[in-house]
Amino acid sequence: MTATGDPALDTDALDAAFAETMRRTGASIGALYLLAPDGNLLCLDVLSGVPVEFASPWTRVPLASPAPVADAVREDRLVWIGSQEEMVRCYPRTAMALPYPLALVAAPVTGARRWGSLLLMWPATRPPYMTQRERGNINSSCRRLARLLEEAAERGGARRARPRAVSAGTGRRAAPEPAVADFVDRLPGGSCALDLEGRITYVSSGACELLGREAGQLLGTLPWQSVRWLDDPACEDSYRAAVISREPVSFSACRPPNHWLDIHLYPDASGISARIVPAGAPGPPAPAPRRTTPTAVPARAGRLYQLTHLAVGLTEVVGVQDVVDLVADQIMPAFGAQGLVLSTAEAGRLRITGHRGYPAETIRRLDGLPLDTTFTPAGQALGSGIPAFFANPEEMRRTYPEAPVVSGKKAWAFLPLIISSRPVGVCILSYDSPHEFPAEERAVLTSLAGLIAQAFDRARLYDIKHDLAHGLQQALLPRGLPTLDGLRVAARYLPATRGMEIGGDFYDLIRLGDSADAAAAVIGDVQGHNVAAAALMGQVRTAVHAHATLGTPPDQVLHRTNRLLADLAPDLFTSCLYVHLDFARERMSLASAGHPPPVLRLSDGDSRAVFVPPGPLLGVDPDAVFPLVEIPLARGMLLALYTDGLVETPGTDLEDAITRLAQHLADADDRDLDGLIDTLLSKAETTAQRIDDIALLVLQCE
């Protein structure tokens, strides 16, 4: 590569290295994905072996999605899938949208930083395993691609806005055209050749006769467009299956009124050879006809696969923002849209819940419009339940003259989101230039609107429930901890990442009396992480606080709270640790109801767990006794109170985990207690997917 910094030269070198990788590995299909600037999205940059249209559902892959190319980058590992059965088992969402026998590998393209992922695919005829030599070749190719990307970035090479198809080359010599034509015309039936884009590159006189078209009407066209009776999803699906699987495929088609033809497809790396014979006539040996997925929607096979892929994605979304992100990242590119507005109907108005491709000022003008507005067609589409399509500003301006001026867009699709005759919102796709909406595209968008409506309504309910529970959680936890002379304090609460992200863990620091000579620290854990646990947590915290402010000793605070819970019979049990700090006597008293022991660090750095004989969990035995332990309260000592979510992980011994926590506390910098908590959380054996809540309260005597 030269040092000119010319983006075209950078692109040529990258494409050449990509093509060389495909030739060296023998892959039939290849793709290079690059990370978007925000690092959360993989964008298709280079494609080989199939038409770009085939990859339209996967031109943008969220890094968090369960897909091989995303896992390769996210986990920095080579992902190998040796068969369709393994694909179904490991990546069911991908298998549903790619139902062909094949093998694939996805490898991270990493150099000085993460660049993206290389995807290579082979027919299922290859061995279902990968040798160390093959792995080495692929890893070496990824490193070379990474170096080229880094050099291009240093020279200011620009990324392409759209994916580019690159030919890997076949290296075969072609026979003279007249000899080929004479040879083919001598064969019975008809013959034609298609490139990997699906266009007819050669057609024999026999094929013209059987198809009922002149050669000039066929050459350079897609057969399902130039021969209308081939405009059937099964025909395009058969071609798609042959291109991707590189295996022969046969199917039958009826030329009106009742002339049935058998069509045999024979693929290789350069295209497809097709033999056409009358049904029942002797033909070339052919495999058993491949079954295609039946469908009642008369749309292009590519659109059907997009619909299937997106439908699976919509079943996985959780919140409203997830719906917005999926529509923006996958549905917008699939249909070539540049703008998105997702609105819901609230109190007779259209409230925008998500958008892409619009300036903030435009969104402010469109948000909160009444449902009967004549400003845009959104309210009319939602009220009638009928989608509205406008191919250009003139069509829109005739009924809604202000809409084109405000949005600046040139074409629109207004898709009402309806569930069981109940409107839930409207999805608007918009375009920066005029856009025709053919019948098949309208049919797919209308079907997709129903799927979006289901996902959107489910996501709204989840968000409402989550916000309610989260609000309850925050209301029950202390908004702030009191400031006490001679005592530094910091606390943190992290909900479980499964379920509703709320729970029953709590902490509190209570000033005792007016002289500030005493305080109480308490931490507890109600069984479960749901609304019931959060509600009970509020009752326990209130009971402990009430008894503590009366000057009740720690063992009696737990005893009286235990009696209350026994009377309430909540069917949930609670662990609790209560610490009484007497600054005047320089003593600390502790009582435990089945709670993990606190960890104490002395001023000399020695750290250990404090043994507190645990009584039973609160709410189990109304007559339970809670032993009391008293230790000195010295200047510089630090005490960490925590719940079991910090130390308890499957397969880990609890005592060993507490010992490690004590060591981490000994090594932590105590100049900033919030920073100390960050250190303890980062070293805890808990992953980003927490199965339990974590509460942590740290106290230090000055």
Side-chain angles (χ1 to χ4, degrees):
M1 186 184 298
T2 66
T4 63
D6 185 346
L9 295 178
D10 293 338
T11 294
D12 290 344
L14 182 68
D15 292 351
F18 174 79
E20 176 62 21
T21 298
M22 290 195 60
R23 287 192 292 270
R24 288 174 55 192
T25 60
S28 57
I29 298 171
L32 176 64
Y33 283 86
L34 298 182
L35 275 170
D38 63 4
N40 295 320
L41 197 66
L42 286 166
C43 301
L44 180 61
D45 189 62
V46 184
L47 182 68
S48 180
V50 293
V52 173
E53 180 194 37
F54 279 19
S56 56
W58 303 283
T59 55
R60 294 158 65 88
V61 179
L63 191 60
S65 67
V69 292
D71 282 357
V73 178
R74 193 173 59 249
E75 300 172 12
D76 193 28
R77 66 181 178 92
L78 187 145
V79 177
W80 164 253
I81 302 295
S83 65
Q84 183 67 11
E85 291 73 18
E86 189 176 356
M87 179 77 80
V88 171
R89 184 173 63 255
C90 299
Y91 297 98
R93 175 172 165 181
T94 303
M96 182 176 292
L98 200 66
Y100 307 113
L102 51 83
L104 67 79
V105 65
V109 177
T110 305
R113 65 181 177 91
R114 294 188 309 171
W115 286 99
S117 180
L118 174 68
L119 176 68
L120 300 172
M121 299 169 63
W122 296 266
T125 51
R126 69 150 287 152
Y129 57 85
M130 177 166 285
T131 66
Q132 285 299 117
R133 183 183 181 87
E134 287 177 304
R135 287 176 179 266
N137 283 336
I138 291 171
N139 289 330
S140 175
S141 296
C142 288
R143 288 193 294 270
R144 183 185 179 194
L145 291 170
R147 285 196 301 272
L148 291 172
L149 288 166
E150 287 162 4
E151 292 173 7
E154 290 173 1
R155 294 176 173 88
R159 292 187 179 185
R160 288 184 291 272
R162 297 178 180 274
R164 177 184 175 186
V166 172
S167 173
T170 61
R172 296 180 302 181
R173 296 181 62 185
E177 291 185 9
V180 173
D182 290 343
F183 169 77
V184 173
D185 282 340
R186 296 185 194 108
L187 298 175
S191 302
C192 63
L194 292 80
D195 62 18
L196 292 177
E197 297 291 331
R199 293 179 175 82
I200 299 174
T201 58
Y202 174 82
V203 61
S204 69
S205 58
C208 291
E209 182 179 348
L210 289 171
L211 295 176
R213 291 288 189 275
E214 297 292 334
Q217 297 173 304
L218 296 172
L219 289 173
T221 69
L222 299 173
W224 43 85
Q225 293 179 354
S226 56
V227 183
R228 299 308 299 172
W229 46 271
L230 288 177
D231 187 13
D232 186 294
C235 299
E236 188 183 347
D237 183 46
S238 297
Y239 169 75
R240 180 185 292 264
V243 170
I244 294 179
S245 68
R246 294 294 198 263
E247 292 184 348
V249 173
S250 296
F251 66 98
S252 297
C254 180
R255 173 185 168 185
N258 56 0
H259 301 290
W260 283 89
L261 301 175
D262 291 336
I263 302 175
H264 308 272
L265 306 179
Y266 298 91
D268 70 1
S270 62
I272 289 183
S273 296
R275 287 287 292 145
I276 308 169
V277 295
R290 180 181 181 273
R291 291 184 178 271
T292 57
T293 305
T295 176
V297 181
R300 289 263 55 81
R303 291 298 193 196
L304 293 177
Y305 280 103
Q306 286 179 345
L307 188 59
T308 302
H309 178 76
L310 296 171
V312 175
L314 285 167
T315 64
E316 299 176 354
V317 298
V318 177
V320 169
Q321 189 57 48
D322 296 331
V323 177
V324 174
D325 290 342
L326 187 139
V327 174
D329 294 338
Q330 300 190 38
I331 295 179
M332 280 175 59
F335 293 91
Q338 291 81 41
L340 163 72
V341 174
L342 195 63
S343 300
T344 184
E346 293 181 4
R349 293 187 175 274
L350 288 167
R351 297 294 181 185
I352 296 177
T353 56
H355 62 90
R356 291 282 180 89
Y358 284 88
E361 178 60 30
T362 300
I363 294 301
R364 282 193 292 270
R365 293 190 64 181
L366 296 175
D367 191 21
L369 293 174
L371 289 177
D372 59 355
T373 180
T374 58
F375 198 67
T376 84
Q380 175 66 25
L382 185 59
S384 65
I386 301 174
F389 300 92
F390 300 88
N392 53 65
E394 288 69 30
E395 289 186 11
M396 173 72 82
R397 196 174 290 115
R398 282 195 289 267
T399 310
Y400 303 93
E402 293 183 86
V405 177
V406 172
S407 70
K409 302 298 183 180
K410 307 298 182 182
W412 301 262
F414 291 83
L415 308 174
L417 307 180
I418 309 294
I419 299 178
S420 301
S421 302
R422 176 173 59 88
V424 297
V426 61
C427 177
I428 306 168
L429 298 179
S430 59
Y431 298 78
D432 292 340
S433 58
H435 178 86
E436 295 295 331
F437 295 93
E440 66 178 40
E441 186 169 278
R442 296 186 184 208
V444 175
L445 284 171
T446 302
S447 299
L448 197 57
L451 299 175
I452 296 173
Q454 295 285 345
F456 184 58
D457 193 49
R458 185 176 65 249
R460 286 177 59 208
L461 291 176
Y462 174 86
D463 283 350
I464 291 172
K465 187 177 181 181
H466 179 272
D467 290 345
L468 178 62
H470 186 70
L472 173 63
Q473 177 91 60
Q474 295 304 309
L476 295 176
L477 288 172
R479 293 187 177 182
L481 298 176
T483 300
L484 300 172
D485 293 338
L487 188 68
R488 298 173 62 210
V489 60
R492 190 76 54 83
Y493 170 78
L494 296 177
T497 55
R498 298 182 183 180
M500 295 183 61
E501 299 186 7
I502 62 169
D505 288 16
F506 67 96
Y507 59 85
D508 206 352
L509 181 65
I510 308 166
R511 186 193 304 271
L512 302 179
D514 298 330
S515 62
D517 288 337
V522 60
I523 195 164
D525 183 359
V526 178
Q527 172 190 4
H529 20 82
N530 50 31
V531 174
L536 182 60
M537 176 266 282
Q539 293 175 310
V540 173
R541 178 171 169 256
T542 300
V544 170
H545 197 286
H547 293 305
T549 53
L550 295 176
T552 308
D555 56 336
Q556 289 302 307
V557 170
L558 295 185
H559 175 73
R560 295 178 185 181
T561 303
N562 179 55
R563 291 296 301 265
L564 172 65
L565 292 187
D567 293 340
L568 294 175
D571 295 329
L572 294 175
F573 302 126
T574 304
S575 71
C576 187
L577 175 68
Y578 185 93
V579 181
H580 181 270
L581 305 168
D582 190 332
F583 301 111
R585 295 178 53 241
E586 297 185 346
R587 305 294 293 177
M588 179 166 51
S589 302
L590 304 91
S592 172
H595 199 82
V599 175
L600 176 68
R601 189 179 87 174
L602 300 177
S603 56
D604 60 3
D606 180 37
S607 297
R608 56 182 173 82
V610 179
F611 176 70
V612 183
L617 296 171
L618 300 178
V620 175
D621 178 8
D623 299 318
V625 175
F626 301 93
L628 191 63
V629 171
E630 190 173 278
I631 60 175
L633 185 62
R635 184 181 299 274
M637 66 183 298
L638 189 149
L639 189 69
L641 285 66
Y642 56 92
T643 56
D644 56 9
L646 183 66
V647 293
E648 231 178 37
T649 55
T652 301
D653 182 80
L654 183 59
E655 290 187 5
D656 291 343
I658 294 174
T659 300
R660 285 192 293 272
L661 174 62
Q663 184 59 51
H664 296 326
L665 186 64
D667 299 336
D669 187 348
D670 63 356
R671 287 175 295 181
D672 178 7
L673 293 187
D674 285 312
L676 182 144
I677 287 179
D678 290 334
T679 300
L680 296 182
L681 291 174
S682 67
K683 292 182 178 297
E685 295 183 5
T686 55
T687 64
Q689 295 297 316
R690 292 181 299 277
I691 61 175
D692 199 2
D693 312 354
I694 296 176
L696 183 56
L697 177 62
V698 177
L699 313 169
Q700 186 175 39
C701 295
E702 293 182 315

